[in-house]
Amino acid sequence: MIDLNINTKVLVIGGGTSGIFSAYKVAKQGYPVWLLDQNQGIGFEPCYTAEVEGYFDDVLAEVKRDGNIKIVENSRIKRVKGTAGDYKVLIDIEGKSVEVSFGAIIAATPYELKPIFEEFGLTPSSNIFSLGDVEKLLNESSDVSGKIFVFLTTFEGESNPVSFRRILKDAIGLRNLNARVYIITKNVKAASSGLEKLILQAKEKGVFIIKSEDKPQVDLDGSDINISVTDTIVGEKIKILSDVVVVEDKICSNSANQELASLLKIHSDLCGFLQANNVRRVPVFTNRKGIFVVGSAVGIKPFYYVLLDATNAAFEVEALLGNGGKKRIEETISIDRDKCVRCLTCYRVCPHGAISWCKDRIIISSFACEGCGICAAECPMNAIQLKQYSDDDIKKQLYEAISFTKEKPLVIGFCCQNSAYEATKGAEKLGLGLPDGFKVVKVPCAGKVDVDYLLEALVKGADAVVIGACHNGNCKSEKGNIFAGYRVENLKKLFDDIGVGSDKVEVVNVASNMSMDFVLKINEMFQRIER
Amino acid sequence: MKKRVLVLGGGIAGLSAAFELSKRGIEVDLVEKSCYLGGLAIGFTCKATNKCQQCGACLVEETLRDVVRDPNINIYLKTEVEEVKKNGKFKVKLKKSSAQMAYSKVLKGFSKYNEPYFVSMTHERDVPKDAVNIENLGVNAHIEVDAIILATGFSPFNPILRPTYGYTVWKNIITGLDMEHMLKDNAKVLRPSDGKEAKKVAFIQCVGSRSKEFNTLWCSEVCCPYALRMASLVKHKVPDTDVWVFFIDIQNVGKETKAFLSDIRSKVKFVNAVPIDIFCGENDVIKVYYKDQQENRKFEEFDLVVLSIGITPNLDNKKLAHIIGLEVGDDGFFRSKSYLNPCLASKDGVFLAGTVTGPKNILDSISHAKSAVSETLTYLGGTK
């Protein structure tokens, strides 16, 4: 048993909509919150104010008033140490560094909105607008009667329902002031609650929506703006002489995300948002226990889902921290100090940030460990053992599978409990026809499958071995299946070199709900072996 | 005294809510009107190509497994609510569901994996050993609960309402849902007419969505993602398959939408048009008629046509609203009481989860369900 001290203070990073609502929800659960803002003053992104004006002011006032929420402006995170329940965070506040301990961290960095002037070769001016400029005009109820406004969405990237709602609201606002309004877009993004009705409302008000596959040409001639565009629906070139061009605000991930991801040791996606593109992290989880992500930090989300994320993050914080204080947990992983040579391989490969070192001792936190066993398989000294899936346990399963099997060919499948193992269960239950000579060894993750196991299986009489893994991008430990892939690839090369045949060892990717898929793939393998 | 919560509906939202409640020490009654758990999503296929496409179908299986193993969750299959009375607590009368089940369908839509509730008729062939007779399911009972989570899901748009598309008339026209089942059960794309591999496949988007005619003035949000992911899967399985997509507007797919769309655009032919008519030609080939930009009538022949049917309000919503005492919006979905709380129903102690409030994918349904549990616990005064 290990004693932990759980701190109940919660760090929320980001002073935008997602951060404000996260702080609001966590404080409602009764935990003290530090709300960190890089800039001077928290506030909502304009892409949301269009959606829920009026609701926001109360929340903002309450967050500012709440004694449980400490708003820290002009601050940056410099370093993060420790694990869930006790993250030690070094924060730079207006040039001064302080170290504070938090039980949990919520990354809720706001969007950066960038008007796409450049995409059309434009620079902002008195008739080249961003959406913010239009909103200023609308707030001042300026005289725009009879003027022609053309909104342009992105043609290089993809627009999104959040931007589209804002554009439609602005367009309707202008129509109400008797301006003439066109929206030129590649695809109308309608996939959000109430948006289709808003599109219809805009059309009924007389907003023209023109769809084009190709980017419109914008030519400036003095104060005249000539726009030419090929309308996809009617297939004709249209020319509009407009008074004002308005470009979409591209919704971008926060430029501080990458640095934050590396400080927090959490994964990010191709677009610079935090949280890997992996369904296993839904809704607010990251690869590290006690670090959650919300709304604008995760992707482009309608306000509705920002709210759900904030609620869920607060809910998970509560589940993790409880009442704080002392907590006893069982040791789930151990390290043999006599074998360990402190090469730090385990530290480098752990996808959950559960491994650290203090002086010359490697420390694996059982609280932060997810039990994937990648470290145990990668350790060159075999110094690490999982309590539940020790090498002995797995080899025992292996020997049983081999000794009770008379069938030939014999194939041993090391099956991940999250995917292939479940698929074989389903196949057995339904009688889908897995070959009798296919025997299963259950492993916690494909990343736990040591090369030793594969070789041992072959030496003891298996005709081939398979690692049944999750699909890439679906691994609970992010890279377990990739590690399995490397190992099998190396083994194949080796087998080829010594003339044993590389088809003795394979990785098969499968999902837990795809028994038939797995059966087909295993049968194919058997046919190959029998030939 | 342990708190007790009724979860109505055993789809992904109901399962997620039930499991989450149980984890927090609440006793759960999970009531499902059909005779299997997992709802519509349990029939969905994994759409991974050489990598996971993040559809979330695997999560349904996993959540189902968690729920059936959980001793704190009482599961009532083929059961529905008949009466709900609130007097502090909710007194709920349950009755055996009268919902008619086509038995072959039951086996099909069923969660067949993990530790399932097998249900079948005694005369059904290939019945697993531990199968339960369908006639024995369903209970009449009175229960008392502290709160209710409504997670009764949606009804898929019925494409028979659009006769020009010939669903059920021509064999090789199927729905997106049929396609999900086909891929899950066979792991292959076949023509229903002769079981041969389909060489040319069309997806038709917005069937029953974004339509004034059907009073479905919303984008179903899930159809572009599922159709395009399936298109990508078809191309992965048999790369020389010719895949077309007829669409109005392409909606975004997941977190890395730009990369996904640019990849699929290079593999699949996109036609920005809604087909006017669909007929069956010789050898069960499907002819799809549409107009091109110059208003010319054109047609294209396909081995298989997939109708991307959308999400419509559950046909039971009005009945349920009446029983529980809630209001249904004019679009037929349930409305939350507050903009700042998408889980609160219009009656205290009742919470909304999943597609009861409008279209959602699997991941968003899970997210909504977890939030609903959070709000339920707040209502119950916490469990600390």
Side-chain angles (χ1 to χ4, degrees):
Chain A
M1 293 297 252
I2 303 163
D3 284 320
L4 293 172
N5 201 17
I6 306 284
N7 194 316
T8 56
K9 207 180 286 169
V10 178
L11 174 65
V12 175
I13 305 165
T17 313
S18 301
I20 293 168
F21 275 92
S22 299
Y24 175 73
K25 290 282 182 181
V26 173
K28 274 210 183 305
Q29 298 274 16
Y31 298 106
V33 180
W34 278 40
L35 176 56
L36 237 61
D37 177 31
Q38 276 208 342
N39 309 314
Q40 227 171 341
I42 58 172
F44 302 103
E45 294 97 318
C47 57
Y48 290 133
T49 36
E51 197 173 337
V52 272
E53 300 158 274
Y55 294 98
F56 275 169
D57 297 343
D58 299 346
V59 174
L60 192 59
E62 205 170 317
V63 164
K64 285 184 172 165
R65 204 169 47 226
D66 194 323
N68 246 343
I69 301 175
K70 180 181 163 84
I71 300 169
V72 187
E73 289 168 359
N74 296 315
S75 57
R76 286 187 82 87
I77 292 179
K78 307 282 278 184
R79 194 186 65 214
V80 182
K81 279 181 164 178
T83 46
D86 186 21
Y87 282 111
K88 294 199 163 52
V89 185
L90 187 70
I91 308 169
D92 178 293
I93 307 168
E94 290 173 350
K96 280 183 201 148
S97 289
V98 285
E99 193 183 71
V100 187
S101 169
F102 296 97
I105 299 175
I106 297 174
T109 46
Y111 296 126
E112 284 172 12
L113 300 178
K114 296 175 185 162
I116 50 165
F117 294 114
E118 254 175 53
E119 194 179 317
F120 301 96
L122 301 169
T123 42
S125 70
S126 59
N127 54 2
I128 312 283
F129 279 19
S130 68
L131 293 171
D133 296 329
V134 174
E135 283 146 20
K136 222 163 99 192
L137 213 68
L138 291 172
N139 282 339
E140 291 160 0
S141 298
S142 307
D143 180 20
V144 292
S145 179
K147 292 235 167 91
I148 300 178
F149 285 73
V150 179
F151 287 82
L152 302 175
T153 67
T154 179
F155 282 77
E156 282 167 12
E158 289 292 331
S159 189
N160 58 74
V162 179
S163 284
F164 229 87
R165 187 186 302 271
R166 187 174 172 205
I167 292 169
L168 288 166
K169 288 236 168 163
D170 290 351
I172 291 170
L174 287 170
R175 275 301 294 155
N176 288 340
L177 298 174
N178 291 319
R180 288 167 63 190
V181 184
Y182 297 84
I183 298 170
I184 304 178
T185 187
K186 197 160 66 174
N187 281 293
V188 173
K189 299 293 181 183
S192 179
S193 178
L195 207 44
E196 184 69 26
K197 281 188 179 160
L198 193 65
I199 293 163
L200 199 72
Q201 190 194 339
K203 284 180 177 169
E204 279 167 358
K205 288 250 180 199
V207 174
F208 291 98
I209 299 179
I210 298 170
K211 284 185 49 173
S212 174
E213 271 304 306
D214 305 314
K215 189 156 83 173
Q217 180 82 27
V218 184
D219 294 310
L220 304 180
D221 180 12
S223 64
D224 288 347
I225 307 167
N226 291 299
I227 296 169
S228 51
V229 60
T230 310
D231 185 320
T232 315
I233 304 298
V234 296
E236 278 173 18
K237 212 160 181 107
I238 295 174
K239 280 193 190 317
I240 306 166
L241 179 63
S242 81
D243 296 300
V244 180
V245 170
V246 190
V247 297
E248 172 181 4
D249 276 12
K250 190 177 173 199
I251 300 181
C252 303
S253 55
N254 196 297
S255 49
N257 279 359
Q258 287 318 304
E259 195 194 335
L260 190 61
S262 80
L263 286 168
L264 295 174
K265 296 199 198 81
I266 58 172
H267 300 138
S268 54
D269 73 5
L270 285 178
C271 309
F273 287 106
L274 303 175
Q275 193 187 53
N277 189 16
N278 184 338
V279 289
R280 303 284 182 183
R281 305 281 175 251
V282 164
V284 292
F285 299 99
T286 64
N287 48 306
R288 294 194 76 189
K289 193 180 266 182
I291 300 183
F292 306 100
V293 282
V294 165
S296 54
V298 184
I300 300 174
K301 298 187 173 205
F303 174 68
Y304 185 88
Y305 289 106
V306 171
L307 204 52
L308 292 184
D309 277 1
T311 310
N312 284 323
F315 190 40
E316 295 301 339
V317 162
E318 201 252 5
L320 182 77
L321 304 182
N323 293 323
K326 290 259 182 290
K327 186 173 182 158
R328 301 210 102 180
I329 59 150
E330 221 159 303
E331 195 176 49
T332 56
I333 186 162
S334 64
I335 184 161
D336 184 335
R337 304 278 166 208
D338 295 336
K339 287 184 181 169
C340 175
V341 294
R342 297 169 279 276
C343 66
L344 299 186
T345 301
C346 54
Y347 167 76
R348 281 190 290 270
V349 299
C350 176
H352 304 293
I355 304 180
S356 55
W357 73 93
C358 184
K359 292 186 184 141
D360 60 349
R361 265 171 86 89
I362 303 297
I363 298 159
I364 307 182
S365 160
S366 288
F367 192 48
C369 174
E370 300 279 353
C372 64
I374 294 174
C375 58
E378 286 294 304
C379 175
M381 302 309 292
N382 262 337
I384 302 172
Q385 292 295 335
L386 296 179
K387 281 273 144 70
Q388 209 193 337
Y389 286 98
S390 66
D391 287 336
D392 290 347
D393 291 343
I394 289 172
K395 288 203 175 148
K396 199 173 141 214
Q397 281 191 65
L398 174 64
Y399 296 147
E400 274 173 15
I402 291 175
S403 59
F404 293 121
T405 308
K406 303 265 175 311
E407 287 88 1
K408 277 286 169 183
L410 169 64
V411 175
I412 299 293
F414 291 94
C415 293
C416 166
Q417 62 178 355
N418 299 313
S419 53
Y421 179 76
E422 292 298 328
T424 58
K425 281 277 167 200
E428 279 165 21
K429 197 115 192 173
L430 288 165
L432 292 183
L434 266 178
D436 291 335
F438 182 72
K439 294 294 164 197
V440 175
V441 173
K442 187 180 179 187
V443 292
C445 171
K448 174 74 181 88
V449 182
D450 209 310
V451 175
D452 288 357
Y453 304 164
L454 304 173
L455 294 174
E456 184 79 1
L458 292 170
V459 167
K460 287 279 188 304
D463 297 286
V465 283
V466 176
I467 301 181
C470 303
H471 290 283
N472 289 344
N474 189 267
C475 175
K476 275 190 174 171
S477 296
E478 215 60 47
K479 283 187 181 159
N481 45 9
I482 294 172
F483 276 108
Y486 293 152
R487 291 173 203 149
V488 165
E489 210 176 296
N490 286 339
L491 215 48
K492 274 174 176 291
K493 268 188 210 143
L494 181 74
F495 285 177
D496 257 345
D497 289 349
I498 59 173
V500 183
S502 62
D503 55 355
K504 280 195 172 326
V505 44
E506 297 288 346
V507 176
V508 172
N509 298 103
V510 70
S512 58
N513 60 340
M514 298 302 284
S515 297
M516 196 59 194
D517 191 28
F518 193 56
V519 168
L520 291 176
K521 284 172 178 166
I522 295 301
N523 275 317
E524 254 171 48
M525 190 168 180
F526 268 76
Q527 280 164 13
R528 215 166 45 231
I529 295 166
E530 277 163 357
R531 272 205 304 275
Chain B
M1 181 64 185
K2 236 183 175 183
K3 302 274 186 188
R4 196 164 164 177
V5 173
L6 168 65
V7 177
L8 275 179
I12 181 59
L15 291 173
S16 303
F19 187 57
E20 211 62 42
L21 282 164
S22 167
K23 269 205 293 196
R24 262 77 174 181
I26 304 281
E27 190 168 342
V28 183
D29 296 297
L30 178 60
V31 172
E32 165 58 43
K33 101 183 147 173
S34 79
C35 42
Y36 58 92
L37 290 176
L40 285 154
I42 198 70
F44 295 174
T45 181
C46 166
K47 298 173 193 72
T49 54
N50 59 348
K51 62 175 186 195
C52 171
Q53 297 201 69
Q54 314 303 337
C55 73
C58 54
L59 301 180
V60 185
E61 197 72 30
E62 192 176 293
T63 317
L64 173 76
R65 184 188 66 197
D66 292 339
V67 165
V68 295
R69 285 181 189 170
D70 192 326
N72 287 328
I73 302 173
N74 314 308
I75 300 169
Y76 305 83
L77 293 175
K78 208 172 191 297
T79 301
E80 56 192 2
V81 280
E82 190 177 19
E83 194 181 272
V84 175
K85 276 187 185 158
K86 193 183 179 194
N87 183 9
K89 288 189 171 198
F90 292 92
K91 284 189 187 338
V92 181
K93 194 169 162 190
L94 300 176
K95 68 165 183 185
K96 211 168 163 145
S97 167
S98 55
Q100 287 299 309
M101 299 289 151
Y103 298 127
S104 60
K105 268 263 162 79
V106 168
L107 275 170
K108 201 173 172 58
F110 206 48
S111 168
K112 303 185 231 180
Y113 314 113
N114 300 313
E115 285 162 33
Y117 287 90
F118 278 112
V119 187
S120 66
M121 283 300 282
T122 41
H123 62 261
E124 187 78 43
R125 250 184 283 164
D126 305 322
V127 170
K129 275 203 296 289
D130 44 0
V132 175
N133 190 322
I134 200 168
E135 299 302 331
N136 298 339
L137 284 175
V139 290
N140 298 311
H142 292 268
I143 57 171
E144 204 174 71
V145 294
D146 300 287
I148 298 176
I149 294 183
L150 187 64
T152 43
F154 68 97
S155 294
F157 178 76
N158 182 359
I160 293 173
L161 296 172
R162 195 154 180 174
T164 46
Y165 281 180
Y167 183 63
T168 67
V169 180
W170 317 117
K171 285 180 195 149
N172 291 335
I173 297 176
I174 63 173
T175 63
L177 196 56
D178 298 332
M179 180 81 160
E180 297 267 12
H181 293 160
M182 184 204 283
L183 282 164
K184 181 165 181 175
D185 294 347
N186 308 322
K188 282 183 187 142
V189 186
L190 308 172
R191 290 183 1 139
S193 63
D194 54 11
K196 287 189 182 146
E197 258 182 23
K199 292 279 173 209
K200 193 169 172 187
V201 181
F203 289 87
I204 298 174
Q205 298 307 106
C206 292
V207 178
S209 302
R210 306 184 68 185
S211 160
K212 261 190 183 170
E213 183 189 352
F214 298 113
N215 196 23
T216 52
L217 274 179
W218 57 82
C219 164
S220 291
E221 301 180 33
V222 297
C223 330
C224 280
Y226 80 62
L228 297 183
R229 283 174 177 140
M230 284 202 277
S232 180
L233 178 57
V234 171
K235 290 295 282 185
H236 173 73
K237 282 183 181 290
V238 186
D240 62 358
T241 314
D242 195 5
V243 182
W244 292 49
V245 176
F246 293 89
F247 71 99
I248 302 176
D249 291 292
I250 293 297
Q251 304 302 323
N252 294 0
V253 181
K255 236 161 103 73
E256 291 164 350
T257 200
K258 193 178 164 190
F260 178 87
L261 290 181
S262 74
D263 176 60
I264 192 80
R265 281 191 177 112
S266 69
K267 293 176 179 163
V268 167
K269 187 169 167 55
F270 283 87
V271 181
N272 196 346
V274 178
I276 320 156
D277 264 324
I278 300 179
F279 294 110
C280 189
E282 259 175 62
N283 194 22
D284 293 313
V285 161
I286 304 296
K287 288 180 164 184
V288 175
Y289 287 84
Y290 65 100
K291 280 183 179 171
D292 71 1
Q293 290 172 353
Q294 280 71 41
E295 294 284 302
N296 294 323
R297 196 176 156 91
K298 293 177 97 172
F299 77 92
E300 201 65 41
E301 292 184 337
F302 296 96
D303 291 328
L304 184 68
V305 169
V306 184
L307 305 177
S308 295
I309 51 171
I311 287 178
T312 64
N314 192 321
L315 298 169
D316 290 341
N317 277 4
K318 280 199 177 126
K319 194 173 95 188
L320 273 167
H322 180 71
I323 292 170
I324 305 173
L326 299 177
E327 277 163 34
V328 175
D330 52 8
D331 54 8
F333 292 108
F334 287 94
R335 285 276 158 270
S336 69
K337 193 157 67 175
S338 147
Y339 205 96
L340 286 182
N341 198 331
C343 305
L344 290 188
S346 52
K347 186 170 186 161
D348 276 355
V350 184
F351 300 86
L352 305 168
T355 49
V356 288
T357 63
K360 269 172 210 71
N361 59 30
I362 292 172
L363 309 182
D364 290 341
S365 294
I366 293 172
S367 177
H368 198 207
K370 288 191 173 190
S371 283
V373 170
S374 173
E375 298 299 343
T376 306
L377 294 186
T378 307
Y379 169 78
L380 297 176
T383 50
K384 272 194 245 180

